[in-house]
Amino acid sequence: MEEQKIKNMEEFSAVSGISRPTISKYFNDPSSVRRSTRERIEEAIARYGYRPNLFAINQNRKFTKNIGIIVPHIVDPFYAEIVRQIETRCIEAGYWAIVLGSHGDAERELSAIEMLYSLRIAGAIIAPLGDTSVSDRIRRLAADIPTVIFDNHMNGDEIFVGTDNFQSVGLMVDYLCRSGEPPCFLDMPAVNTNARERREAYVRAMEEQGFQPHVIPAESAGWDFEELGYNAGLRLLPAHQLPTNTVLCANDRMAIGLIAAAFEKGLRVGRGAATALRVAGHDDHPMARFTAPALTTVAQDYVSIAENSVSTLFGMIENGVRPASPLRRLEGKLILRASA
């Protein structure tokens, strides 16, 4: 490799003797130039060690290949896995995925949306915060740019991909009622439509089974679900305040906290006569199979959520047409483990 440092595409063109438009064409799509020219460019790349700023190239296009992704918490394993799946599919299709987190804060969500505008994105995939979301701004973005909402439906006419909470929660309630004592429901804070739908789905499913529903409300707000489940367990378990010894938690993170509290209080969780408590969750959180005991749950289909979101978005970008059905609800799958 030559010691000469190449700063930009113009300098690379000068030293390689290949025109700037041809080089640009190569970096946009190597197969678009003749084989002999491609070989000359690649020899020059190896000789001078030149690597272009692909992000800058993308930004200079009339239509960028940037896809914006916004989620409430990047470190949440559920969102992290969905983002991984989406990003992989974007890369395979030649798009650049730009991931932003709103960190559970409406102002940061708004800032993330404004950032997407500045990046001249081709499309967006967004999991809104929920009740605190800047919903009007998200809807305006969706009117300006192809946008798919996932996980948390905003109850509008937006394009949405997510789990059918009534099917998934009903599936779990049916199993718990058939296999033992009917469950009470440890609610999560009303941070989004998932919270409301899962609570309503539990009540409906219990009534359909002929049982009295018992909802244990969330004591505080926020997204620290493990802590909320843990604190609820420390508060309720020693005082024997649970209406039933089977607990369906609104999500797996709440269930993980509840199992930790039961362990701390010396209560055995699981199935069988020697156990004091059955605990089930929802989502199939990546850590659910590593709790002690492993958590019985309803799995959201991470792969299908990502694939449907991306394929729907690319169809809108490439065809300029909204899908005929704006809502795509996916079924959950019952995952039986040792906790219930």
Side-chain angles (χ1 to χ4, degrees):
M1 184 170 60
E2 300 253 347
E3 292 185 4
Q4 181 178 354
K5 179 68 175 178
I6 306 300
K7 298 178 182 178
N8 52 48
M9 206 173 290
E10 284 73 18
E11 291 186 5
F12 182 67
S13 173
V15 298
S16 65
I18 303 166
S19 72
R20 169 68 168 76
T22 300
I23 292 171
S24 178
K25 189 177 180 182
Y26 167 84
F27 282 116
N28 282 326
D29 180 8
S31 65
S32 65
V33 300
R34 289 183 299 178
R35 180 177 178 180
S36 59
T37 303
R38 186 165 65 247
E39 290 174 351
R40 286 179 60 204
I41 294 172
E42 290 169 355
E43 287 173 3
I45 288 172
R47 180 178 180 183
Y48 295 104
Y50 174 65
R51 291 293 182 272
N53 185 335
L54 295 178
F55 185 77
I57 292 171
N58 188 25
Q59 286 298 95
N60 287 329
R61 290 173 172 154
K62 183 178 180 181
F63 299 103
T64 75
K65 300 284 278 186
N66 297 333
I67 299 297
I69 304 169
I70 301 177
V71 295
H73 292 279
I74 294 173
V75 296
D76 183 300
F78 169 75
Y79 291 117
E81 178 60 21
I82 296 290
V83 166
R84 186 183 74 83
Q85 296 282 346
I86 292 173
E87 188 174 23
T88 298
R89 282 151 183 78
C90 286
I91 292 170
E92 291 171 350
Y95 287 85
W96 186 303
I98 300 169
V99 183
L100 302 171
S102 53
H103 304 279
D105 181 81
E107 288 298 320
R108 291 190 179 186
E109 184 178 65
L110 180 59
S111 296
I113 292 169
E114 298 306 322
M115 176 65 75
L116 295 188
Y117 272 106
S118 70
L119 293 171
R120 300 172 57 236
I121 57 171
I125 300 176
I126 300 175
L129 286 176
D131 287 357
T132 61
S133 270
V134 286
S135 301
D136 290 345
R137 195 70 185 93
I138 295 175
R139 291 190 178 99
R140 197 184 318 160
L141 175 72
D144 295 337
I145 299 165
T147 300
V148 174
I149 303 300
F150 80 96
D151 184 51
N152 176 40
H153 186 222
M154 298 195 306
N155 294 319
D157 61 353
E158 66 272 8
I159 307 301
F160 173 77
V161 176
T163 298
D164 183 344
N165 288 305
F166 287 90
Q167 178 271 338
S168 59
V169 173
L171 191 67
M172 178 60 78
V173 169
D174 177 70
Y175 163 72
L176 293 174
C177 290
R178 286 187 292 103
S179 59
E181 195 173 11
C184 58
F185 185 77
L186 181 57
D187 205 3
M188 62 189 281
V191 293
N192 56 29
T193 54
N194 281 326
R196 289 191 293 275
E197 284 187 357
R198 291 178 190 179
R199 180 176 60 251
E200 292 170 6
Y202 161 77
V203 171
R204 179 188 297 181
M206 287 289 285
E207 291 175 345
E208 289 176 350
Q209 292 280 342
F211 297 110
Q212 176 67 36
H214 297 282
V215 175
I216 302 169
E219 285 282 299
S220 59
W223 291 74
D224 297 325
F225 301 128
E226 292 90 351
E227 183 176 355
L228 291 170
Y230 175 74
N231 289 337
L234 293 184
R235 184 179 74 255
L236 299 170
L237 293 174
H240 304 286
Q241 292 183 359
L242 290 175
T244 168
N245 289 329
T246 299
V247 185
L248 171 55
C249 298
N251 63 41
D252 286 351
R253 292 176 59 191
M254 297 281 292
I256 289 169
L258 180 61
I259 289 174
F263 175 81
E264 186 169 315
K265 295 302 177 182
L267 299 174
R268 185 175 176 185
V269 175
R271 290 174 282 188
T275 60
L277 192 68
R278 291 196 303 163
V279 177
H282 189 290
D283 292 342
D284 201 20
H285 185 291
M287 299 303 294
R289 64 192 180 98
F290 298 113
T291 58
L295 182 62
T296 289
T297 186
V298 179
Q300 297 201 65
D301 192 336
Y302 293 71
V303 173
S304 290
I305 290 173
E307 287 182 345
N308 277 276
S309 297
V310 171
S311 62
T312 299
L313 182 67
F314 288 171
M316 295 168 68
I317 292 171
E318 293 163 8
N319 302 325
V321 178
R322 287 167 58 93
S325 176
L327 298 179
R328 187 161 299 179
R329 299 278 191 174
L330 306 175
E331 291 191 350
K333 179 182 178 182
L334 187 64
I335 305 295
L336 298 182
R337 300 192 180 105
S339 71

